[in-house]
Amino acid sequence: MSSSFPDVFSLHGETALITGGGTGIGLAMARAMVAAGARVVLVGRREAELAAAVSELGTGASYVVHDVTKLDAAPALIERVTRETGPISILVNNAGIHLKKPAVATTPGEFQTVLNTHIVGAHALTAAVAPGMMERRHGSILFTGSMASLFGIPLVIAYTAAKAAMVGLVKGYATEFSPHGVRVNCIAPGWIETEMSRKAMDGDPARKSQILERTPMAKFGAPEDIGWAAVYLSSPAAKFVTGTVLPVDGGVSIGF
Ligand code: NDP
């Protein structure tokens, strides 16, 4: 055996850039990665959230204010973080926005904004970071998917299109990058208690009970459930895992 417990789950020496790392699931991934020994760099648009997160996380954390939809700025972000913090070995494409309205009321502009955030923005960062990872033959790229990556959900057409497209991205990148030592995986969270899910369910108690009824574990998940999965997928324990979509969902994707 080339590795042993608990070192096989350690992220010592790794540097993770986490988009949307200032809040919710991204912050939980940052907490778990810092606990596992990584340095983390949080990215988001709101400085106050990022600064509060970094002061909670301590010296292993820093932040850069950056909007992932500013596509041309992606290479400069990666250069800056590499210069200030060192080579990035983990990229977490987690930044996301939600849009809840009937499909026919969703304008092309709204649709495009959602795709730009989840897909085109994630691609811009991935394309900027992957060459260095491949050169060093060491990297883990994660995406935060969704149950919408796996099945249809009403009233979130642009979000569903984006999260389903993410699975294609993960598979495509995995075929190109994995031969060069860079693994690419997706976590598909079920319904997790965060600001985003609270807003999506606000004033819609029927949707909330529908979710709980079809979840075998009959509860919402916690952000840390996604955090520990992210540590696993980026650690040596997952060194033969690439191109996968890992549901962390209380069974909702297999329930009836
Ligand atoms: P949050 O709203 O807390 O997190 C979204 C994060 O993305 C925020 O930190 C936000 O920061 C950041 N963000 C949004 N747009 C941009 C942008 N253009 N550039 C940079 N950062 C951006 O919700 P969650 O933690 O729940 O969501 C995180 C991810 O998890 C999303 O991809 C979401 O789709 C996914 N997810 C969530 C589930 C849930 O039940 N909560 C279930 C399945 C998936 P800022 O606004 O400061 O830019």
Side-chain angles (χ1 to χ4, degrees):
M1 216 162 54
S2 61
S3 40
S4 60
F5 183 84
D7 291 351
V8 73
F9 293 106
S10 169
L11 298 183
H12 275 286
E14 309 291 348
T15 298
L17 189 153
I18 306 174
T19 68
T23 64
I25 288 174
L27 176 54
M29 290 198 268
R31 282 190 194 110
M33 287 190 177
V34 166
R39 294 172 64 89
V40 296
V41 181
L42 313 181
V43 164
R45 294 165 302 179
R46 289 168 298 165
E47 184 156 18
E49 270 71 9
L50 294 167
V54 163
S55 64
E56 178 210 311
L57 292 168
T59 50
S62 58
Y63 71 84
V64 181
V65 176
H66 174 84
D67 181 340
V68 299
T69 66
K70 304 276 185 267
L71 306 173
D72 295 342
L77 172 72
I78 300 304
E79 275 163 34
R80 174 176 168 188
V81 172
T82 304
R83 196 173 56 246
E84 292 177 357
T85 316
I88 297 162
S89 54
I90 300 170
L91 169 66
V92 185
N93 286 306
N94 166 77
I97 52 170
H98 207 260
L99 177 72
K100 190 174 167 200
K101 50 164 62 181
V104 295
T106 302
T107 67
E110 288 171 333
F111 202 107
Q112 212 148 28
T113 303
V114 174
L115 282 183
N116 267 347
T117 306
H118 291 267
I119 298 298
V120 193
H123 171 68
L125 283 179
T126 302
V129 88
M133 288 180 170
M134 289 194 278
E135 209 177 293
R136 296 184 293 277
R137 298 196 63 80
H138 180 70
S140 162
I141 301 175
L142 295 181
F143 285 79
T144 307
S146 159
M147 288 301 102
S149 302
L150 306 177
F151 51 74
I153 301 178
L155 303 177
V156 288
I157 195 67
Y159 186 81
T160 303
K163 292 303 197 185
M166 212 170 250
V167 176
L169 275 189
V170 168
K171 290 179 182 170
Y173 291 139
T175 61
E176 287 195 36
F177 302 165
S178 303
H180 307 285
V182 179
R183 298 180 299 103
V184 188
N185 291 288
C186 177
I187 299 172
W191 277 269
I192 308 294
E193 276 192 70
T194 68
E195 199 50 41
M196 182 183 286
S197 59
R198 269 190 289 275
K199 264 189 217 149
M201 277 176 298
D202 242 10
D204 196 347
R207 197 172 182 100
K208 190 171 175 177
S209 41
Q210 188 188 7
I211 290 165
L212 290 174
E213 273 163 26
R214 66 159 294 168
T215 305
M217 291 186 79
K219 61 179 184 183
F220 292 94
E224 71 166 26
D225 298 328
I226 310 305
W228 296 119
V231 167
Y232 161 66
L233 284 172
S234 296
S235 74
K239 65 183 166 42
F240 199 49
V241 180
T242 196
T244 61
V245 180
L246 174 66
V248 180
D249 66 347
V252 72
S253 59
I254 52 81
F256 177 72

